[in-house]
Amino acid sequence: MTASLVSSENVEGTDVYGPGRDKIGNIDHLMIDKQSGRVAYAVMTFGGFLGLGESKYPMPWSKLSYDNGVDGYMTDVTEEQVKNAPDYDEQSFANREWETRTHDHYQTHPYWAV
């Protein structure tokens, strides 16, 4: 039996693959809802070199699923879709209107409505 729990330390840095198994980035960190304990977003990074010039983009956690075959997370989202997501800054996570637009962009149910 494979364990279904994973430390957040092991999630950070994990590659994310889009349609066609093309790598679109990796997970920088997770955003967890304090009340429910659910992971709400994976903040992805891509671009840059050795951590310089990287861009960060939050993606609803529900858009990712772990795939042992690639030892990473799969999504049906393309890199272009991630780049076209609503702009954000560190205060965006406290803005329900931004979160609603983000979930609409990715066509997911908001984590607070599950």
Side-chain angles (χ1 to χ4, degrees), residues 24-66:
I24 63 171
N26 61 42
I27 296 175
D28 182 70
H29 64 277
L30 304 176
M31 298 299 295
I32 301 168
D33 179 64
K34 289 190 283 188
Q35 300 300 314
S36 70
R38 290 186 187 110
V39 175
Y41 302 98
V43 178
M44 292 180 30
T45 60
F46 51 88
F49 181 71
L50 297 176
L52 299 173
E54 288 182 329
S55 297
K56 294 184 180 183
Y57 298 88
M59 179 186 296
W61 182 250
S62 61
K63 293 301 286 184
L64 300 167
S65 61
Y66 190 77

Side-chain angles (χ1 to χ4, degrees), residues 1-11 30 37 39 61 66 68 73:
M1 181 174 151
T2 302
S4 63
L5 296 178
V6 63
S7 169
S8 63
E9 292 175 338
N10 294 336
V11 174
L30 304 176
V39 175
W61 182 250
Y66 190 77
N68 286 319
Y73 289 90

Side-chain angles (χ1 to χ4, degrees), residues 33 36 38 96 103 108-114:
D33 179 64
S36 70
R38 290 186 187 110
R96 190 64 89 195
H103 283 275
T108 59
H109 294 290
Y111 66 91
W112 63 88
V114 177

